Amino acid sequence: MSLSVYVHIPYCVKRCGYCDFNTYTPGELRQGSDSVASVAEGYIDALLDEIEIAREQTGEQAISTIFFGGGTPTLLPAKQLARVLNRLNERFGLTENCEITTEANPDSVDASSLKELREVGFNRISFGVQSVKPHVLAVLDRTHNSNRVGEVVNDARSAGFDSISVDLIYGTPSESVTDFSESLDFALSLPIDHLSAYALIVEEGTKFGAAVRRGEVVMPDDDESAEKYLLLDRKVSTAGFEWYELSNWSKAGHQCRHNEAYWLSADWWGFGAGAHSHLSGKRWWNIKHPKSYIESIKAGGSPAAASETLSQKDQAIEDLMLRIRMRSGIELNRFEKNQLTVLEDFYQRGLFLPDSWKSGRAVLSLEGRLLADQVVREVIS
Amino acid sequence: MPAIPLSSAPQPAETNPALIRNFSIIAHIDHGKSTLADRMLGITGVVEARNMRAQYLDRMDIERERGITIKSQAVRLPWRTDGSDYILNMIDTPGHVDFTYEVSRSLAACEGALLLVDCAQGIEAQTLANLYLAMENDLTIIPVLNKIDLPAAQPEKFADELARLIGCDPSDCIKVSGKTGDGVEHLLDEIVRRIPAPQGDASAPARALIFDSVYDVYRGVVTYVRVIDGRLRDHDQIQMFSTGVKHEMLEVGVISPEPIPSKGLGVGEVGYLITGVKDVRQSRVGDTVTTATKPAQVALAGYKDPIPMVFSGLYPLDASEYPTLREALEKLQLNDAALVFEPETSAALGFGFRCGFLGLLHMEIVRERLEREASLSLISTAPNVVYHLTLEDGREVEVTNPSEFPDGKIAEVREPIVRATILAPSEFIGSIMELCQGRRGILQGMDYLSEDRVEIRYTLPLGEIVFDFFDNLKSRTRGYASLDYEPIGEAEGDLVKVDILLQGEKVDAFSAVIHREKAYAYGVMMTGKLRELIPRQQFEVPIQAAIGARIIARENIRAIRKDVLAKCYGGDITRKRKLLEKQKEGKKRMKMVGRVEVPQEAFIAALSTSDEGDKAKTKK
């Protein structure tokens, strides 16, 4: 057995209006200094302590994937992130081809910091690009300058990253199909190996969510988002990428193995404030606020806020809901008879690929991918 | 000091009719009747200041909250005027359009009435209707202008208006403030001086008029009566004229304002009796009470069975609450002789009851009490009236549920017609006429009550009023118009049934009986509303409006194309699983119409009379 590791860095220079991730700006943390680095010093110490807790609990296991997410991990100096990587390596050991990813905001890196990241061990990088259209970025309340994106992706290539990914968001109010098409063309013009594209989700409790609720911003029609998805899949496929999950496309061999671990219900440990973990049927999640997280670690306790033990039924639902999103699909022999009847009905409507179906797997067709949640809901009802 | 202690005041059953004054107060909601009544209780000393609470006589929470009196009550008030001790019986009347019959019985128990008008607003339509009722009963009217303490008061203007209406001198109007108590003592004196004492034959067989009947959890039915002739004694066996049923009288007494048992009630007196019956339908308003030993031969005039005018289907949101709904309706019926209901099954809404009401307010009150007192969540179908049909084969059919309206072979449809009176500032005449005309109204006449206030009379089909007429009237007149209506019979109408079909399946709850000329507009409105309210399904869903087999309007709900959340990573998994499970539960609460899943909210919004449905969040 191998373990996957997620490390949460809950800091951003600025919170984007649509984002509901567990992240804090220096101002929100109110610790006197505005420098994230100074705030983060104690946080990294706490992460190192949590690694000790994890090692004690999981026993000997090599780590096969590591993913630094946020927040903005690249706000911290590479040498701080390296402390975490080193400790993981010391305590657990990494598999030979361990995939080590960090998320990056194009504004928070440059040629030299990318080089440093590569040197301390990161071999995969994922840039949050979202859109190249300034008016779309404005609605998203994003800061970066899209001209920089091309530079940093090339810099990352020069620094020697094995895999480079960019993230796009579509379905932002004010974004036309042409706007999205341009963002897509731009992303595909870069030397990347992997692309994630997400339809914008309105989250409650965000500035953007409030604006939608007040009617100041109107979300686009789902049909338009469906059009964009079809366009996306067509362009990305033409450019030599293959879908391996609903919102993820890659060149051969460049799938994100870390995310695959989530979707295949492997074991992973999430370190840091608000991070979720899963170890053989048990899930838990840490205290959300970094300050409370640090304090609970310092006090020698567990940083977990709550946990749940998955029943067989829960696990079955999760397996379905996660695997159905993947190109590898889900084996038909996992289902009960009445569920198969429901699936059969969807198959008749063209939601599953015939070849896979005939060989005993339910793999969503292009139209089916757009209706994945409906399929799950009907099968479990 | 005109207030006299109860103990030294004339006692029940021993009071000389010449010293009794029976009166009620005719007033519109908000014109301060309850406040004036409270003030009278205080000034006559029957309620001590420390025990006073606002709207003392209104027993139900719902009455106090809505500021309206649904059930009347009678209070015995001792009062000394010009050196003699009198008994004033104040009979509190309900103040709304649906309870005209109850009002008329309360008035029949009195010799006089106070016409109470807010002198910042002037008289309202309902008050006017009740005033006419009092005048028809030959009651002595004392015009009273209330709220003279208000800065906006215009006592002179409205004194003129009242004088013109009842044919008196403006100086006959008594000016009071229920709030400050100003003028109330004078008013009590004038009640003694102006209102005649009751007349009656003390030696004749007993005849008492039931003007109210209330179910009490502890005592059973409490019946309020006014003795016309003879005497009711404690432990008499009494008999109801309409049913002939005899009851032992367990207790008789007066209200002052708490019940005080007495030896009996004599001519002209007003009080209560308790017989142990459990259902107000055994002790009906308007009926005559006599004694079993020496029964009167002739009943008092005016008894009528309550007739439901407006019908609506009531369904529990949660099907398992059907028995609770039944129990709650049965409980309400103990106290509401006018409420009728019978079980009904709707393909769309499940098991429920078709309920008949006196009118819209009655319906609203029943619904609110069911929801409040039995903690029920209900869906009600759009209100409708009762139709009488003659089929081509000569058969007569009564329809109280539009979905049961036959599809063809109808020779004639008759619908109830009302005479409506609308009072409003004259600037709104045009707008009101436009509204009434659009509702198939026929203008009967118009009179100016004062320079800038007008009374407009229309006959209208009741079916045109029950939907959203009143809300419409209020919004067109910035809330200034008031409405009263009374049924005057039936008329033939060119009516058709419009059905609504989802994917070819008729949704019984949405069927409506409508004038042929408006059927198309209704179909377009309803299909449009449903298109907004019903979420997109796995397949395309046509929504059609049809008269018989003929489709008159159509909308389409396109099949859903995208139903997936883009992101699902480690921290999202638990949340997403729980969301899917919640949605799965939500699916169970959907009503199935054929294969179409319709959320309950869609039914509620589509059936609501207001514009809520239009405001419902667009999901497309």
Side-chain angles (χ1 to χ4, degrees):
Chain A
M1 277 299 284
S2 61
L3 185 69
S4 285
V5 163
Y6 175 76
V7 181
H8 191 67
I9 305 295
Y11 305 110
C12 284
V13 172
K14 171 180 175 295
R15 177 182 283 276
C16 305
Y18 64 94
C19 171
D20 78 330
F21 291 163
N22 187 34
T23 185
Y24 303 84
T25 61
E28 284 172 344
L29 292 169
R30 293 167 196 274
Q31 292 196 348
S33 160
D34 264 358
S35 142
V36 170
S38 66
V39 169
E41 181 85 37
Y43 184 75
I44 297 286
D45 291 342
L47 288 176
L48 300 184
D49 288 345
E50 197 186 351
I51 291 172
E52 303 300 332
I53 296 173
R55 177 62 181 80
E56 213 160 286
Q57 213 168 308
T58 59
E60 209 173 308
Q61 284 195 57
I63 296 170
S64 54
T65 72
I66 302 173
F67 193 105
F68 279 63
T72 312
T74 45
L75 271 187
L76 302 193
K79 63 173 191 294
Q80 288 286 5
L81 304 181
R83 289 173 65 203
V84 178
L85 287 179
N86 291 338
R87 183 65 61 87
L88 287 169
N89 193 17
E90 279 164 38
R91 289 289 177 269
F92 288 89
L94 311 183
T95 59
E96 201 180 327
N97 60 346
C98 182
E99 173 194 281
I100 307 176
T101 307
T102 184
E103 290 180 342
N105 181 325
D107 279 352
S108 70
V109 288
D110 57 25
S112 75
S113 69
L114 286 165
K115 212 158 155 259
E116 279 170 38
L117 285 166
R118 182 68 193 94
E119 276 162 15
V120 302
F122 289 97
N123 51 29
R124 186 174 181 276
I125 189 161
S126 169
F127 290 103
V129 174
Q130 325 311 359
S131 172
V132 293
K133 305 302 287 187
H135 70 274
V136 175
L137 289 168
V139 176
L140 292 174
D141 199 15
R142 290 284 292 193
T143 56
H144 70 82
N145 171 353
S146 48
N147 294 333
R148 252 196 92 56
V149 174
E151 288 171 34
V152 295
V153 169
N154 282 303
D155 291 342
R157 199 82 281 173
S158 314
F161 282 89
D162 297 337
S163 275
I164 301 172
S165 176
V166 300
D167 282 2
L168 295 179
I169 289 181
Y170 61 94
T172 301
S174 88
E175 183 197 59
S176 67
V177 176
T178 315
D179 290 337
F180 176 59
S181 183
E182 283 177 32
S183 293
L184 205 48
D185 290 343
F186 172 77
L188 293 175
S189 72
L190 301 172
I192 58 172
D193 318 286
H194 185 279
L195 179 92
S196 304
Y198 309 107
L200 180 62
I201 301 174
V202 183
E203 301 286 1
E204 272 177 50
T206 60
K207 208 157 86 179
F208 183 73
V212 171
R213 203 179 55 242
R214 288 194 298 266
E216 294 161 13
V217 172
V218 179
M219 285 300 286
D221 199 75
D222 270 351
D223 285 356
E224 191 184 302
S225 295
E227 287 302 327
K228 287 178 181 168
Y229 186 86
L230 299 182
L231 173 80
L232 166 67
D233 189 72
R234 196 171 63 238
K235 287 208 168 197
V236 174
S237 305
T238 310
F241 294 76
E242 259 192 66
W243 80 282
Y244 68 103
E245 195 262 359
L246 270 168
S247 302
N248 288 280
W249 291 258
S250 76
K251 292 202 169 144
H254 287 275
Q255 293 93 330
C256 177
R257 284 191 282 117
H258 181 82
N259 287 339
E260 286 180 329
Y262 292 143
W263 301 325
L264 295 171
S265 306
D267 287 344
W268 81 85
W269 191 295
F271 293 92
H276 286 236
S277 299
H278 172 259
L279 283 182
S280 46
K282 189 179 175 196
R283 291 191 189 285
W284 71 92
W285 42 95
N286 286 347
I287 298 165
K288 276 189 95 168
H289 199 283
K291 219 175 141 191
S292 321
Y293 165 78
I294 293 169
E295 275 161 17
S296 76
I297 292 259
K298 270 191 189 154
S302 157
S307 69
E308 63 173 353
T309 303
L310 300 171
S311 68
Q312 270 192 329
K313 194 174 137 250
D314 292 339
Q315 290 192 32
I317 293 175
E318 287 191 357
D319 281 349
L320 168 63
M321 137 193 138
L322 296 169
R323 287 171 196 224
I324 198 93
R325 298 169 66 93
M326 300 178 74
R327 176 66 180 85
S328 48
I330 184 162
E331 305 94 322
L332 290 174
N333 61 18
R334 283 170 166 258
F335 295 98
E336 292 164 21
K337 203 166 170 223
N338 56 337
Q339 295 178 314
L340 279 172
T341 316
V342 179
L343 288 170
E344 176 77 29
D345 192 39
F346 284 116
Y347 174 65
Q348 295 302 336
R349 284 172 46 206
L351 267 57
F352 294 111
L353 298 175
D355 288 351
S356 319
W357 182 268
K358 282 166 196 155
S359 62
R361 294 189 87 82
V363 176
L364 291 169
S365 65
L366 185 54
E367 294 72 27
R369 281 184 247 160
L370 284 166
L371 295 170
D373 286 357
Q374 187 183 94
V375 171
V376 175
R377 223 179 284 128
E378 294 296 328
V379 171
I380 66 171
S381 289
Chain B
M1 184 66 194
I4 42 177
L6 272 180
S7 53
S8 64
Q11 293 301 300
E14 293 167 4
T15 307
N16 180 350
L19 299 176
I20 297 175
R21 300 292 183 270
N22 294 324
F23 71 97
S24 55
I25 305 176
I26 298 171
H28 191 74
I29 299 163
D30 288 346
H31 282 211
K33 182 171 70 170
S34 296
T35 311
L36 177 63
D38 287 349
R39 185 59 67 177
M40 288 180 168
L41 297 185
I43 287 179
T44 58
V46 299
V47 178
E48 289 176 42
R50 65 190 158 86
N51 293 332
M52 198 67 206
R53 56 178 199 264
Q55 304 195 11
Y56 193 93
L57 299 176
D58 298 347
R59 277 156 306 176
M60 283 186 268
D61 288 348
I62 194 169
E63 293 184 357
R64 212 166 283 128
E65 280 172 23
R66 293 171 74 123
I68 55 172
T69 311
I70 302 161
K71 283 290 184 181
S72 56
Q73 216 181 17
V75 191
R76 185 175 173 105
L77 307 169
W79 187 249
R80 180 171 295 164
T81 298
D82 305 330
S84 297
D85 292 347
Y86 291 88
I87 291 298
L88 312 186
N89 289 310
M90 173 168 66
I91 296 176
D92 199 14
T93 57
H96 195 276
V97 55
D98 290 349
F99 303 101
T100 299
Y101 178 66
E102 293 196 14
V103 175
S104 82
R105 294 306 87 198
S106 299
L107 293 175
C110 302
E111 279 73 31
L114 311 185
L115 173 61
L116 183 71
V117 172
D118 178 338
C119 68
Q121 296 185 59
I123 197 163
E124 309 264 354
Q126 173 64 28
T127 319
L128 193 63
N130 288 342
L131 169 66
Y132 293 153
L133 217 53
M135 288 163 82
E136 280 164 29
N137 276 309
D138 284 329
L139 264 52
T140 299
I141 310 292
I142 302 179
V144 183
L145 292 165
N146 193 19
K147 307 196 188 180
I148 53 168
D149 55 303
L150 289 184
Q154 294 176 276
E156 280 69 35
K157 172 180 171 183
F158 293 115
D160 279 347
E161 194 175 291
L162 295 190
R164 216 176 301 176
L165 275 171
I166 58 180
C168 68
D169 192 279
S171 65
D172 292 336
C173 294
I174 297 173
K175 300 181 180 72
V176 302
S177 165
K179 192 169 148 202
T180 66
D182 213 13
V184 178
E185 291 194 12
H186 173 59
L187 174 60
L188 289 165
D189 290 340
E190 288 300 311
I191 289 170
V192 172
R193 289 178 196 136
R194 293 195 203 175
I195 295 178
Q199 309 278 324
D201 184 348
S203 58
R207 289 201 301 174
L209 169 69
I210 300 178
F211 62 86
D212 199 0
S213 172
V214 177
Y215 176 77
D216 178 284
V217 190
Y218 302 103
R219 310 299 312 270
V221 171
V222 180
T223 302
Y224 293 88
V225 296
R226 148 76 193 268
V227 178
I228 305 292
D229 292 322
R231 174 183 291 262
L232 293 176
R233 282 182 198 81
D234 199 7
H235 301 304
D236 270 353
Q237 196 185 29
I238 57 165
Q239 189 171 2
M240 302 297 176
F241 247 93
S242 69
T243 58
V245 177
K246 293 171 187 170
H247 301 286
E248 292 301 326
M249 196 149 69
L250 305 177
E251 184 176 316
V252 57
V254 297
I255 307 280
S256 197
E258 301 302 333
I260 302 170
S262 72
K263 283 179 282 178
L265 294 171
V267 167
E269 283 192 296
V270 172
Y272 69 91
L273 33 106
I274 292 172
T275 61
V277 302
K278 295 282 184 221
D279 176 348
V280 291
R281 281 169 298 173
Q282 302 203 27
S283 195
R284 293 186 170 220
V285 171
D287 204 353
T288 304
V289 180
T290 186
T291 54
T293 42
K294 192 182 154 193
Q297 298 307 304
V298 182
L300 299 164
Y303 175 73
K304 276 200 289 190
D305 274 327
I307 303 165
M309 298 293 291
V310 175
F311 291 82
S312 167
L314 292 183
Y315 293 83
L317 269 185
D318 176 351
S320 69
E321 285 185 336
Y322 176 76
T324 317
L325 174 58
R326 177 197 292 278
E327 277 165 35
L329 279 166
E330 282 167 355
K331 196 172 144 211
L332 273 192
Q333 208 177 35
L334 293 177
N335 208 3
D336 188 344
L339 172 66
V340 296
F341 60 90
E342 58 180 47
E344 173 178 86
T345 312
S346 154
L349 303 176
F351 292 106
F353 294 92
R354 178 123 301 244
C355 303
F357 310 95
L358 293 172
L360 288 174
L361 181 79
H362 187 212
M363 179 174 80
E364 248 179 71
I365 287 168
V366 167
R367 198 195 140 126
E368 206 173 312
R369 289 190 61 187
L370 288 171
E371 295 198 321
R372 179 185 302 216
E373 292 166 22
S375 311
L376 285 161
S377 299
L378 300 173
I379 298 188
S380 52
T381 61
N384 61 272
V385 299
V386 53
Y387 300 98
H388 288 110
L389 279 62
T390 307
L391 303 184
E392 281 170 359
D393 60 11
R395 256 189 322 132
E396 298 287 324
V397 179
E398 182 179 279
V399 174
T400 56
N401 180 345
S403 70
E404 287 161 10
F405 197 91
D407 276 326
K409 302 198 162 104
I410 300 167
E412 185 186 89
V413 185
R414 295 176 303 281
E415 60 178 332
I417 302 291
V418 298
R419 178 162 45 220
T421 305
I422 296 164
L423 299 196
S426 49
E427 62 187 288
F428 300 117
I429 291 174
S431 176
I432 293 168
M433 288 176 67
E434 187 185 57
L435 173 66
C436 293
Q437 230 74 25
R439 302 296 182 108
R440 297 190 281 139
I442 300 167
L443 183 64
Q444 299 295 317
M446 185 159 72
D447 288 300
Y448 278 81
L449 298 175
S450 59
E451 265 174 34
D452 55 1
R453 295 224 318 147
V454 66
E455 173 191 343
I456 307 172
R457 294 181 301 278
Y458 266 92
T459 55
L460 285 154
L462 179 60
E464 294 281 352
I465 292 186
V466 295
F467 204 56
D468 54 358
F469 183 83
F470 193 60
D471 290 343
N472 227 305
L473 179 67
K474 282 284 181 192
S475 68
R476 278 166 184 254
T477 59
R478 296 204 300 272
Y480 281 113
S482 58
L483 165 76
D484 179 60
Y485 63 83
E486 57 171 332
I488 54 165
E490 284 192 329
E492 194 182 344
D494 187 7
L495 301 170
V496 293
K497 177 176 66 163
V498 178
D499 291 315
I500 302 294
L501 295 86
L502 282 186
Q503 233 201 7
E505 296 260 350
K506 215 179 271 184
V507 188
D508 53 7
F510 294 142
S511 292
V513 175
I514 288 193
H515 192 258
R516 189 179 301 275
E517 282 173 15
K518 293 182 176 173
Y520 173 72
Y522 174 82
V524 168
M525 182 276 291
M526 204 64 182
T527 50
K529 214 171 178 180
L530 290 172
R531 193 184 76 88
E532 296 301 318
L533 290 167
I534 297 175
R536 292 167 69 175
Q537 317 269 319
Q538 298 180 35
F539 38 82
E540 183 178 277
V541 178
I543 310 169
Q544 296 161 306
I547 299 174
R550 190 163 58 88
I551 304 300
I552 56 170
R554 181 188 166 117
E555 291 274 0
N556 256 333
I557 302 176
R558 285 168 301 155
I560 190 161
R561 281 185 60 199
K562 177 173 174 293
D563 183 358
V564 62
L565 282 182
K567 277 195 182 193
C568 194
Y569 295 108
D572 305 321
I573 295 172
T574 298
R575 186 161 73 143
K576 179 151 175 146
R577 189 187 77 240
K578 291 191 169 154
L579 176 68
L580 282 166
E581 281 171 348
K582 204 173 127 198
Q583 289 171 338
K584 172 183 149 187
E585 287 310 304
K587 266 174 72 76
K588 284 190 195 153
R589 286 196 308 275
M590 295 268 192
K591 302 275 184 188
M592 296 300 294
V593 175
R595 288 170 64 212
V596 184
E597 291 176 346
V598 184
Q600 286 181 326
E601 300 74 46
F603 277 103
I604 296 170
L607 291 168
S608 71
T609 50
S610 64
D611 292 341
E612 280 164 41
D614 305 336
K615 285 183 219 143
K617 211 170 84 183
T618 305
K619 292 185 182 137
K620 267 141 230 111

